[in-house]
Every structure is written in structure tokens, then in C-alpha cells.
Amino acid sequence: MRGTSATPSTPMNRAAALPPEEPARVIHSGTSRSGVFIAYSHHDRDLLGELQVHLKPLQKAWMVDLWDDFRVDAGPRGEDELRRAVAATRVAVLLVSPGLLASPFVTEHRLPQMLAAQQHPRAAVMCLYLRPAMDVFADRNFADPQDGSPRTIRLTNFKGLNDPLYPLAAIEKPARHRILQAAAEEIIQAAHRNTSVAATQ
């Protein structure tokens, strides 16, 4: 798999360690999750870097797993690896921008639907809105994992770390610093909590 060109992180004790031939599994109650999964577009490395400044406690503990759109392989193998990473994650953070929404995360592997369809215990799912993107209000369809019934999710149903109508790129740097500091505090707290935060569906 191609590695992200951002600051590297070591894999956490995650389901990606399963043998390649084993199919992706849904993690059920009683299975531990660890670390923070961050999905972002390589176009947004500048704003990712600003966030990383505030995530140093997690980075020092090797609890941050960065996934950019270069790291996601096309086809079933890439989707299996993504599912395994999500299944082993305590906190999933989406850095939302037009670049992310046009990336394989969303166009091919349907990451928002994948996160919404998790069975308990769910990862905490958070969105940090980087740049204007009206697609955050679009309905995304998926099948309920319990009974196969149709469900929908919007990115705005997940916990927002800032206002999608006032994304970071539209805010002056001092105010952006305060938003990122508060967002990082929430991510760090969630990473150390045993309880999980589900999307409002």
C-alpha cells in the first residue's frame, strides 16, 4: 500500500494485521478499539498540519493513523484495508473539503456510509470542515447492517468540530487557531474514552 506523505504514523493494533485472505469483519461488542483515524485529501495538507500541532499528545503515543487519498488503493483490496482500519478505530475524523468528497474515500469506498453502518460499539465519528463544500448536506444511502433496510446519512449527522457554513479556510488564522485547539481537545478526550459516539440518524 502506498504510504501517506504526511507525518508518518505506525499502525495501531488494528484489524489490518489480519491475514490478507480473511474478509473484512464488523467488530462486535467486547472488541477493543484504539487510536484516531484521520481521513483527508492531499490537497488539504496545509490545514492538516495546523491540526497536527494540537494533536501532539496523541502523536507521541502513536495513536494517530493518517489516511490520505493517495493511500487508498482502488478495488476490493483497498476497501478491505479501509474497513479494517475503521473497525479498529476508536475515533474517526473526516477533514471535510471538496477534495475529500471527490476522493476514493467517498466516490469509490463510501466512507461516510461505512462509518454510519457500523454495528456497536461504533467509533466516535467527527467532522472538521476545512473548505466550503455543499455536498456535506447531501443524503448518502446505505443498507442497515442488521436487517438490510435502507438508511440515509449526511456528513452533518456526525459530530461537527466546527460549523460547516464557516469552514476553517474562511476564517482568519487567530480564530482558526482557537477552533483547532478546541477540536483537538475533543478528539483527544474521545480517544481516551471507553464510551463511543454514534451518528444521529
Side-chain angles (χ1 to χ4, degrees):
M1 175 187 288
R2 295 167 300 221
T4 173
S5 59
T7 304
S9 57
T10 55
M12 306 158 301
N13 179 24
R14 66 185 198 186
L18 296 171
E21 67 274 8
E22 184 169 342
R25 297 175 299 153
V26 175
I27 301 299
H28 296 283
S29 181
T31 302
S32 63
R33 293 175 180 267
S34 61
V36 177
F37 168 100
I38 298 180
Y40 68 100
S41 166
H42 71 278
H43 296 294
D44 300 317
R45 288 183 188 135
D46 55 339
L47 293 173
L48 168 69
E50 291 186 31
L51 174 63
Q52 285 182 283
V53 169
H54 301 282
L55 292 178
K56 285 183 179 178
L58 295 179
Q59 291 179 306
K60 288 179 180 178
W62 300 103
M63 291 179 68
V64 176
D65 193 20
L66 299 175
W67 284 68
D68 71 9
D69 41 2
F70 286 146
R71 183 173 171 181
V72 183
D73 291 330
R77 178 177 176 180
E79 182 169 346
D80 285 350
E81 289 172 341
L82 187 58
R83 286 186 181 278
R84 289 170 180 159
V86 166
T89 294
R90 181 171 295 175
V91 182
V93 181
L94 307 183
L95 304 190
V96 182
S97 71
L100 180 81
L101 298 180
S103 74
F105 288 117
V106 175
T107 60
E108 182 175 349
H109 300 311
R110 294 159 51 92
L111 180 58
Q113 292 94 317
M114 187 185 299
L115 290 165
Q118 289 188 102
Q119 295 185 8
H120 293 287
R122 296 173 185 241
V125 183
M126 302 179 175
C127 290
L128 184 62
Y129 299 96
L130 304 187
R131 306 185 197 278
M134 293 309 296
D135 282 354
V136 299
F137 300 104
D139 288 336
R140 303 176 186 277
N141 301 317
F142 66 98
D144 188 288
Q146 298 287 349
D147 57 16
S149 60
R151 302 284 295 279
T152 61
I153 186 72
R154 295 181 181 183
L155 287 178
T156 51
N157 290 143
F158 296 122
K159 180 174 180 58
L161 295 169
N162 62 327
D163 189 334
L165 296 178
Y166 299 96
L168 291 181
I171 297 173
E172 295 294 327
K173 203 159 189 176
R176 195 160 76 212
H177 174 82
R178 292 191 293 272
I179 292 170
L180 285 168
Q181 186 173 29
E185 288 174 0
E186 288 207 52
I187 294 168
I188 291 168
Q189 289 175 6
H192 290 96
R193 279 200 301 262
N194 290 325
T195 56
S196 57
V197 181
T200 304
Q201 299 172 1

